[in-house]
């Protein structure tokens, strides 16, 4: 596809990245401050030039403040997503939204019980209304001594105690974001240790926001179960009205899927014999792929390329990680870019405001724009790559436990724990995060996962990591035979056969979108509780080898806070301060058990993560 864009003279993310070289050294090391109008101030990294900003801030203060602001922005993004879902649930409980309903009553009851919402003898609408109110309380509570409900009802007791003792449990998501902005204002918090503690607290608020967004989405739209799907640009169809959904929030895309079948005849009448073909991009794509098997066209970095096939009638975007370049690329083809959120508009796009009260009506309106656009296709420009990869997806925590229950119904986690103890599974790695134009797309994911699977490390993935593995053929039974070490292969084969998959479980288990990292937390919490240890004792590690967004910085930070060695394959803007670098690595390890490992080389990074797993195994007295 890059050949197609090049021939057409269209610049993509890769071209723009080249045009940005060389990128600023001050920005890359975190030594540039633009927090007040006396700046920008720059600290000379080599010690020859200025060492203080105009206000007197030193390199450590400047680096730490910038880092905390990144975490706060990531937290705000996830938590707005979560608020949107919680408000939708509240309004379903108030009978105001007729296009939404509870699709997983069992999950509703499980979540309600966890959050202390009574269910016995109550109407479903009353339960969801109270559950939504308790959840929204996590955005409103002003009592510092009462931590947010979701996090305090989810993590293992020893971890909660540690975080509480360190004063790190958030009491209010919005307050955490506001405090992060406030303490990093010019002339406020200047002590790097205190700033990083504030960063950890806001990042844990991000975890709270992710938990509630994921679990309430499951209540509304169903908890994912293993399902077959396909990935890569070959999922676009020559003979269909192709519609891509891009972004993160499932509130609109779920309804788009619901109503697409109703408009099948209109699409056929417009000249598309196969009707409407919905495909996913980025994490909205992951949400639909996990719950319904909807094909995934691509992940973040190549989101411009479906347009260049000349066969995409519309791309419907909601929030986060949507490139502002899309309308410019679309202007070279017939594709309509449709923005749907009033806080997320893009110049050149068509804006159709989404309202939950009229969800189906608006979804039909949007799909009719796509159908109408089919006639504007230029058949001579259609170039859909013949690249399509099968993938088994949908491994929510419940999906994984259900698969394990086919081996031991009475004690589903026992087979996993037994195999970790025996060493057949050495440990677990969570791959999360984005793509980044600084790295060949998906390369780090595939290299690291293959290297770790060979060493019998079970891989779970979310977000654009999931997209990379789905496209890269790592979510098939065949990949287990091809890439896993003997122990892991044996376990995945036994579970896959017991679960009736007709072959092994894939070596990489798709746990969802980037907001669904909380699913991995639920899994490691269950393992820690089963073994009676803390998360920081488990042979579990995390990696964001192609991290890009501020959300990834928030996720990486709470991952450290809950006790996981956490790899970043892109260097965050902290290396200008030895103090901050030390705080998020060595000091974090001493205080929290979790710590950052920064390593751009994927082979070396896989070795470091395997070493961290071995250190944990040794700590538990397990064979290494
Ligand atoms: Fe410069 Fe201080 Fe203002 Fe930052 S806050 S721009 S270091 S004067
Ligand atoms: S879309 S935050 S690039 S995972 Fe979730 Fe992908 Fe990262 Fe966005």
């Amino acid at each position: 596809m890059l050949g197609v864009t090049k021939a057409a003279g269209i610049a993509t993310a890769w071209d723009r990245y080249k045009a940005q070289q060389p990128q600023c050294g001050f920005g890359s090391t975190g030594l540039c401050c633009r927090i007040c109008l006396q700046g920008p101030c720059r600290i000379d990294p080599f010690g020859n030039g200025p060492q203080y900003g105009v206000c007197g801030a030193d390199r450590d203060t400047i680096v730490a403040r910038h880092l905390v602001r990144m975490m706060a922005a990531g937290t705000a993004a996830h938590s707005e997503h979560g608020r949107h879902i919680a408000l939708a649930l509240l309004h379903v409980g108030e009978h105001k939204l007729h296009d939404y309903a509870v699709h997983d009553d069992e999950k509703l009851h499980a979540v309600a019980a966890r959050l202390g919402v009574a269910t016995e003898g109550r109407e479903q609408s009353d339960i969801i209304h109270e559950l939504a109110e308790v959840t929204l309380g996590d955005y409103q509570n002003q009592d510092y001594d009462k931590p947010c409900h979701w996090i305090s009802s989810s993590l293992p007791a020893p971890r909660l105690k540690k975080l509480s003792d360190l004063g790190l449990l958030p009491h209010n998501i919005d307050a955490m974001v506001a405090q992060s902005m406030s303490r990093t204002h010019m002339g406020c918090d200047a002590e790097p240790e205190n700033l990083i503690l504030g960063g950890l607290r806001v990042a844990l608020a991000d975890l709270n926001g992710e938990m509630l967004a994921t679990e309430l989405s499951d209540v509304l739209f169903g908890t994912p179960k293993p399902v077959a799907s396909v990935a890569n640009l070959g999922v676009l169809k020559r003979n269909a009205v192709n519609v891509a959904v891009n972004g993160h929030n499932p509130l609109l895309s779920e309804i788009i899927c619901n109503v697409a079948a109703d408009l099948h005849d209109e699409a056929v009448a417009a000249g598309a014999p196969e009707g409407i073909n919905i495909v996913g991009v980025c994490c909205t794509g992951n949400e639909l792929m996990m719950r319904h098997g909807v094909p995934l066209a691509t992940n973040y970095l190549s989101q411009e390329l479906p347009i260049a096939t000349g066969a995409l009638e519309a791309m419907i975007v909601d929030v986060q990680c949507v490139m502002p370049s899309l309308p410019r690329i679309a202007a070279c083809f017939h594709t309509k870019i449709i923005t749907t959120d009033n806080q997320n508009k893009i110049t050149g796009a068509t804006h159709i405001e989404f309202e939950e009260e009229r969800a189906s009506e608006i979804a039909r309106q949007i799909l009719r724009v796509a159908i109408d656009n089919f006639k504007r296709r230029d058949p001579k420009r259609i170039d859909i790559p013949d690249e399509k990869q099968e993938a088994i997806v949908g491994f929510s925590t419940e999906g994984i436990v259900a698969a394990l229950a086919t081996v031991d119904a009475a004690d589903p986690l026992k087979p996993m724990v037994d195999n970790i103890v025996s060493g057949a599974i050495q440990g677990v790695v969570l791959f999360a995060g984005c793509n980044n134009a600084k790295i060949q797309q998906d390369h780090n994911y595939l290299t690291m996962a293959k290297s770790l699977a060979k060493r019998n490390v079970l891989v779970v993935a979310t977000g654009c990591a999931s997209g990379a593995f789905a496209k890269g053929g790592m979510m098939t039974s065949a990949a287990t035979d091809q890439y896993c070490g003997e122990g892991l292969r044996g376990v995945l084969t036994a579970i896959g056969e017991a679960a009736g998959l007709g072959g092994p479980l894939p070596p990489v288990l798709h746990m969802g979108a980037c907001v669904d990292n909380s699913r991995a937390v639920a899994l490691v919490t269950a393992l820690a509780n089963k073994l009676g240890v803390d998360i920081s004792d488990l042979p579990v590690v995390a990696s964001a080898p192609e991290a890009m967004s501020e959300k990834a910085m928030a996720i990486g930070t709470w991952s450290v806070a809950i006790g996981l060695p956490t790899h970043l394959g892109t260097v965050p803007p902290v290396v200008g301060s030895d103090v901050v670098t030390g705080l998020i690595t060595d000091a974090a390890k001493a205080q929290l058990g979790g710590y950052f490992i920064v390593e751009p080389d994927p082979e070396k990074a896989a070795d470091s993560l395997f070493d961290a797993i071995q250190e944990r195994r040794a700590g538990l007295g397990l064979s290494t």
Side-chain angles (χ1 to χ4, degrees):
M1 292 316 297
L2 291 180
V4 172
T5 54
K6 191 167 179 198
I10 295 167
T12 63
W14 290 276
D15 301 305
R16 297 191 296 271
Y17 174 68
K18 265 191 216 141
Q20 284 292 336
Q21 301 312 308
Q23 287 175 305
C24 172
F26 294 101
S28 304
T29 50
L31 291 174
C32 171
C33 181
R34 292 191 300 115
I35 279 179
C36 89
L37 301 182
Q38 298 176 101
C41 297
R42 303 181 304 180
I43 304 300
D44 184 308
F46 306 110
N48 302 321
Q51 294 301 296
Y52 302 100
V54 174
C55 68
D58 64 10
R59 62 177 61 219
D60 305 321
T61 301
I62 288 173
V63 167
R65 283 196 305 212
H66 181 69
L67 190 63
V68 171
R69 285 196 166 198
M70 290 185 85
M71 294 168 195
T75 302
H78 276 142
S79 302
E80 273 305 292
H81 173 165
R83 189 198 321 262
H84 208 152
I85 304 279
L87 284 170
L89 191 75
L90 183 79
H91 295 148
V92 172
E94 290 169 350
H95 307 287
K96 288 181 183 162
L97 302 183
H98 304 295
D99 296 329
Y100 299 90
V102 168
H103 275 83
D104 191 340
D105 193 53
E106 194 180 333
K107 179 112 188 197
L108 170 64
H109 279 75
V111 166
R114 214 166 78 216
L115 271 82
V117 174
T119 55
E120 196 68 32
R122 296 181 80 189
E123 293 284 327
Q124 190 188 64
S125 57
D126 292 340
I127 300 171
I128 57 178
H129 195 263
E130 188 178 336
L131 178 59
E133 283 190 324
V134 169
T135 299
L136 290 165
D138 280 358
Y139 294 83
Q140 290 150 5
N141 169 42
Q142 302 302 326
D143 184 347
Y144 267 80
D145 295 330
K146 286 200 182 129
C148 290
H149 290 90
W150 283 81
I151 197 166
S152 57
S153 64
S154 301
L155 292 178
R159 183 56 29 177
L160 283 172
K161 176 161 186 339
K162 184 173 277 291
L163 295 176
S164 175
D165 290 349
L166 290 167
L168 294 180
L169 283 178
H171 70 292
N172 173 328
I173 297 170
D174 287 348
M176 289 300 96
V177 174
Q179 282 180 9
S180 300
M181 296 308 289
S182 155
R183 75 194 306 157
T184 57
H185 185 274
M186 185 268 154
C188 293
D189 201 356
E191 190 182 79
E193 292 85 353
N194 205 41
L195 279 159
I196 295 303
L197 283 172
L200 288 162
R201 216 166 127 103
V202 75
L204 286 161
D206 178 82
L207 174 57
N208 198 80
E210 287 188 50
M211 284 173 169
L212 66 91
T214 295
E215 305 239 30
L216 297 184
S217 294
D218 284 354
V219 169
L220 281 176
F221 304 121
T223 305
K225 300 186 186 73
V227 59
S229 188
V230 273
N232 218 337
L233 288 177
V235 302
L236 293 167
K237 294 180 180 171
R238 178 173 278 271
N239 294 320
V241 172
N242 289 304
V243 178
V245 288
N246 182 5
H248 284 79
N249 192 326
L251 280 171
L252 169 61
S253 53
E254 280 282 337
I255 307 295
I256 292 273
C257 284
N258 288 349
V259 303
D262 302 345
L263 301 189
H264 175 84
D265 292 348
E266 290 182 35
V268 173
E274 292 189 53
I276 298 172
N277 180 37
I278 309 284
V279 300
V281 175
C282 277
C283 284
T284 298
N286 278 317
E287 296 270 354
L288 292 183
M289 191 186 209
M290 282 275 280
R291 293 201 174 86
H292 310 294
V294 168
L296 185 80
T298 194
N299 47 351
Y300 166 74
L301 192 53
S302 44
Q303 65 182 269
E304 296 163 317
L305 300 187
I307 300 169
T309 63
L312 186 67
E313 276 55 58
M315 186 180 282
I316 306 163
V317 305
D318 52 79
V319 297
Q320 302 163 20
C321 305
V322 176
M323 289 188 186
S325 60
L326 293 175
R328 275 197 301 276
I329 311 260
C332 305
F333 294 88
H334 75 300
T335 309
K336 295 256 191 215
I337 305 297
I338 302 172
T339 51
T340 57
D341 183 296
N342 70 1
Q343 292 171 34
N344 293 265
K345 296 185 177 181
I346 308 174
T347 304
T350 303
H351 187 73
I352 302 179
E353 185 86 15
F354 177 61
E355 298 159 37
E356 287 85 14
E357 294 78 8
R358 299 193 297 122
S360 293
E361 184 191 330
I362 292 168
R364 282 197 194 91
Q365 182 190 348
I366 290 172
L367 286 175
R368 287 194 172 110
V369 171
I371 292 169
D372 187 51
N373 203 26
F374 185 79
K375 63 175 182 290
R376 292 180 62 237
R377 258 193 198 184
D378 180 349
K380 295 192 293 300
R381 295 187 77 189
I382 295 178
D383 188 350
I384 303 173
D386 188 20
E387 294 285 342
K388 207 157 51 165
Q389 176 62 56
E390 290 178 359
I392 307 168
V393 301
F395 290 94
S396 57
T397 313
E398 292 86 341
I400 292 174
V401 171
L404 291 168
T406 59
V407 178
D408 188 336
D411 192 356
L413 285 178
K414 188 167 181 294
M416 191 153 176
V417 168
D418 287 351
N419 282 297
I420 290 174
V421 169
S422 76
I425 298 176
Q426 288 287 308
V428 181
V429 57
L430 163 66
F431 280 105
C434 325
N435 295 135
N436 186 318
K438 293 176 176 171
I439 297 161
Q440 183 188 333
Q441 187 176 7
D442 302 341
H443 173 74
N444 284 5
Y445 288 115
L446 297 172
T447 307
M448 290 180 70
K450 287 172 189 172
S451 173
L452 288 165
K454 196 162 81 188
R455 288 181 265 185
N456 298 309
V457 176
L458 177 67
V459 181
V460 299
T462 59
C464 288
S466 295
F469 293 127
K471 288 184 295 168
M474 296 291 287
M475 290 180 171
T476 63
S477 295
T480 302
D481 291 330
Q482 196 175 348
Y483 298 115
C484 292
E486 198 183 331
L488 180 61
R489 186 165 61 236
V491 178
L492 294 174
T493 303
I495 299 169
E497 283 173 0
L501 289 180
L505 287 184
V508 179
L509 302 180
H510 187 317
M511 291 199 96
C514 49
V515 78
D516 294 335
N517 285 303
S518 51
R519 297 190 196 280
V521 176
L523 182 66
V524 295
T525 297
L527 283 174
N529 289 342
K530 173 92 185 145
L531 285 164
V533 298
D534 195 355
I535 293 173
S536 55
D537 299 316
L538 293 173
V540 177
V541 294
S543 173
E546 302 181 22
M548 171 276 296
S549 75
E550 290 164 316
K551 288 182 291 169
M553 284 313 301
I555 293 167
T557 305
W558 63 246
S559 173
V560 166
I562 65 167
L564 298 178
T566 302
H567 164 247
L568 293 177
T570 37
V571 182
V574 299
V575 293
S577 166
D578 290 345
V579 170
V580 174
T581 307
L583 284 170
I584 63 173
T585 52
D586 299 339
K589 186 173 184 181
Q591 289 287 326
L592 297 159
Y595 53 95
F596 277 113
I597 301 166
V598 179
E599 176 52 70
D601 181 310
E603 292 286 3
K604 286 186 193 158
D607 290 345
S608 298
L609 288 179
F610 191 71
D611 290 347
I613 285 172
Q614 295 306 306
E615 191 181 322
R616 298 286 174 101
R617 289 186 65 84
L620 287 170
L622 303 177
S623 63
T624 56

